[in-house]
Amino acid sequence: MRSALPAYFPTCEGAYLVGGCVRDLLLGRPPDDYDVAVLGDSRAYAQTLAAAAGGRIVEIGKPAFRLWRVVAPGGIIDVTAAAGATIAEDLRHRDFTINALALDITTGAIIDVTGGRQDLTAETIRMVSAAAFRNDPVRLIRAFRLQARFGFSIEAGTLAAISRDADRITRPAGERVREEFFKMLGADRCAPALQGMARTGLLTALFPGLTRAGENALERAVAAHQHLESLLCDLPACFPDTAEMLMHELTLNRRILLKCAAVLSRVPEIPAIAQSLRLSRHDAARLEGLIRHHAAALGMLAAPRPSPRAVTRFFREAHAVLPDLLLNAAADLMAAPEERSQEIRSFTAELLHTYAFAHTPRLHSPPPISGNDLIREFGLKPSALFKQILDSIEEERLSRSELGRAEALEMVRTYLKHQV
């Protein structure tokens, strides 16, 4: 296995690659980054590694938990002191057996004291010890994040321990909880993992509002997320006219927030959740917007079909969270007991087409008249009426294919007559 490592890793007795990078190498996947545990002077090894890799060292953490991060052109390598007097002792402190693997950097030998290689072959996620989740409750979500990433199953005893310790998920820092949960949601197909979180009680421990959001709210949220994920994974087939636009707009971060909104659509405490997860101001505003406009989006997709002006009004009010909002509403309606999936998908496709090819181009075209026209032509002064007129003209312009200056001015005259 030594040949699978980048050449710049210096050999050193007592230096081991550990954790997920060893797992990924055994699976034939390129690691995202590397972790090194050292029996000895971890700082000295990091300095030697940085020099060999042409990188620099960043010192992270308090003295008792010091980490030496080597930032190099070939990637990031985190170097720490081993947790124990031997590498076997270090591995027994880790989270899951498939992560409790080490590779001796000098010899290339694999060290496995917990059965991790066997569990890799069996595609099983198993806790290293019964204390795994008590030692670090973030591991509760990590189990499902690994399931979503690799498609592995979680061993029954591990699931039982997650159920037992689920209420501990509120103890770690919000940033760490968010990172694990969002990484899970970032997987293309994480619906089985989210279902597992719901079955073990971990999802409601993380978001207690799901238990207060009404009867069957948890089941509806999980089903809506599954439908949303199906739409996102097959955009060209579901929405052929607008798939290119959707794939361009829906960045990974927006997909994650959209999936989060699908789970939380009926939960009232969104600002508090955003704060507890330490969301950025931008992400918090987006998540809150998706939830705030959700009821209006459901109304758009429900029969009877709305008028063009109603659609325009909705597009204007919810513009900041479109087109994502429409996908979330469609998924929620598809999760309802009555089976209307094809009808909902079809009308969602129509609204997306209108948004992409009618509303958006009109939005970026110049208005037929401006405030200066109201001043010159009608002697109006800026006021509440002034704004009402311009809003009315803008709504009319966005609701139809063409609205010229002369027609817009005539609309203003008619509007003013009705104000007398």
Side-chain angles (χ1 to χ4, degrees):
M1 286 295 291
R2 179 70 177 84
S3 60
L5 303 185
Y8 53 70
F9 273 100
T11 58
C12 172
E13 184 177 355
Y16 301 87
L17 283 184
V18 291
C21 61
V22 182
R23 174 203 66 215
D24 290 347
L25 288 170
L26 290 172
L27 290 172
R29 298 168 177 243
D32 294 329
D33 47 38
Y34 293 91
D35 293 300
V36 178
V38 179
L39 298 171
D41 191 338
S42 56
R43 179 179 183 180
Y45 184 83
Q47 290 172 333
T48 304
L49 174 60
R56 59 186 176 86
I57 294 179
V58 179
E59 188 176 339
I60 299 173
K62 298 178 180 179
F65 304 97
R66 184 73 75 220
L67 180 151
W68 309 98
R69 174 161 292 173
V70 177
V71 182
I76 292 176
I77 308 105
D78 287 341
V79 181
T80 59
T86 66
I87 190 62
E89 187 178 345
D90 177 283
L91 296 178
R92 290 191 180 97
H93 283 92
R94 294 186 176 267
D95 49 10
F96 305 103
T97 60
I98 61 172
N99 291 338
L101 297 163
L103 187 156
D104 189 317
I105 293 176
T106 300
T107 67
I110 298 294
I111 296 92
D112 175 14
V113 296
T114 66
R117 296 189 78 170
Q118 182 177 341
D119 282 338
L120 267 183
T121 301
E123 300 186 343
T124 298
I125 299 165
R126 185 192 312 272
M127 61 189 176
V128 168
S129 72
F133 303 121
R134 294 172 184 171
N135 292 339
D136 184 0
V138 167
R139 294 169 174 176
L140 293 160
I141 301 177
R142 188 175 301 153
F144 295 104
R145 193 251 292 175
L146 292 171
Q147 180 187 20
R149 180 180 180 187
F150 297 112
F152 291 2
S153 60
I154 302 176
E155 177 262 341
T158 303
L159 284 172
I162 291 172
S163 294
R164 178 196 67 208
D165 295 331
D167 61 347
R168 295 174 180 265
I169 196 57
T170 59
R171 300 183 184 184
E175 297 91 336
R176 297 185 65 225
V177 173
R178 179 198 68 230
E179 183 178 8
E180 288 292 339
F181 186 57
F182 277 21
K183 279 183 178 179
M184 187 199 82
L185 293 180
D188 286 340
R189 296 197 180 274
C190 66
L194 191 78
Q195 291 162 6
M197 286 185 67
R199 283 194 297 270
T200 57
L202 182 58
L203 192 60
T204 48
L206 181 59
F207 303 121
L210 284 169
T211 62
R212 301 190 293 269
E215 188 178 358
N216 300 322
L218 176 62
E219 293 80 359
R220 180 73 174 263
V222 171
H225 171 270
Q226 183 173 9
H227 282 290
L228 174 64
E229 193 164 84
S230 296
L231 294 176
L232 291 173
C233 287
D234 205 8
L235 289 172
C238 295
F239 310 111
D241 290 353
T242 53
E244 185 176 352
M245 178 271 293
L246 290 169
M247 288 187 286
H248 174 74
E249 294 255 349
L250 295 173
T251 61
L252 177 59
N253 188 58
R254 278 176 57 170
R255 286 175 183 242
I256 289 171
L257 290 170
L258 182 55
K259 288 184 179 184
C260 192
V263 174
L264 300 174
S265 289
R266 287 174 172 76
V267 176
E269 309 97 338
I270 299 304
I273 289 173
Q275 184 176 11
S276 69
L277 293 178
R278 300 295 189 268
L279 295 187
S280 68
R281 188 174 300 177
H282 173 273
D283 286 354
R286 186 160 200 89
L287 180 61
E288 290 171 21
L290 286 166
I291 305 300
R292 184 171 62 255
H293 294 292
H294 185 63
L298 292 176
M300 282 291 105
L301 292 171
R305 295 196 175 192
S307 67
R309 288 182 71 90
V311 171
T312 295
R313 197 172 298 119
F314 166 72
F315 284 164
R316 292 184 69 195
E317 291 174 355
H319 181 76
V321 287
L322 289 171
D324 320 32
L325 181 65
L326 287 170
L327 299 182
N328 190 30
D332 193 2
L333 288 172
M334 290 163 70
E338 57 274 11
E339 179 56 54
R340 295 175 51 224
S341 293
Q342 187 54 48
E343 177 187 346
I344 293 163
R345 190 183 298 118
S346 176
F347 188 43
T348 302
E350 289 182 33
L351 286 177
L352 287 169
H353 184 94
T354 301
Y355 173 78
F357 300 112
H359 179 80
T360 301
R362 292 171 193 163
L363 194 65
H364 292 99
S365 63
I369 62 173
S370 67
N372 288 332
D373 292 308
L374 297 185
I375 295 171
R376 286 195 304 265
E377 298 289 335
F378 303 100
L380 296 177
K381 296 180 180 180
S383 63
L385 177 62
F386 197 91
K387 185 179 183 303
Q388 289 172 11
I389 292 172
L390 290 178
D391 280 348
S392 179
I393 295 297
E394 180 68 357
E395 187 174 292
E396 184 68 20
R397 178 179 79 87
L398 295 174
S399 300
R400 43 193 281 192
S401 59
E402 187 175 342
L403 178 65
R405 173 180 168 81
E407 191 174 0
L409 290 173
E410 186 58 36
M411 284 181 60
V412 176
R413 293 187 187 93
T414 303
Y415 190 92
L416 291 173
K417 286 178 182 178
H418 285 93
Q419 298 299 309
V420 177

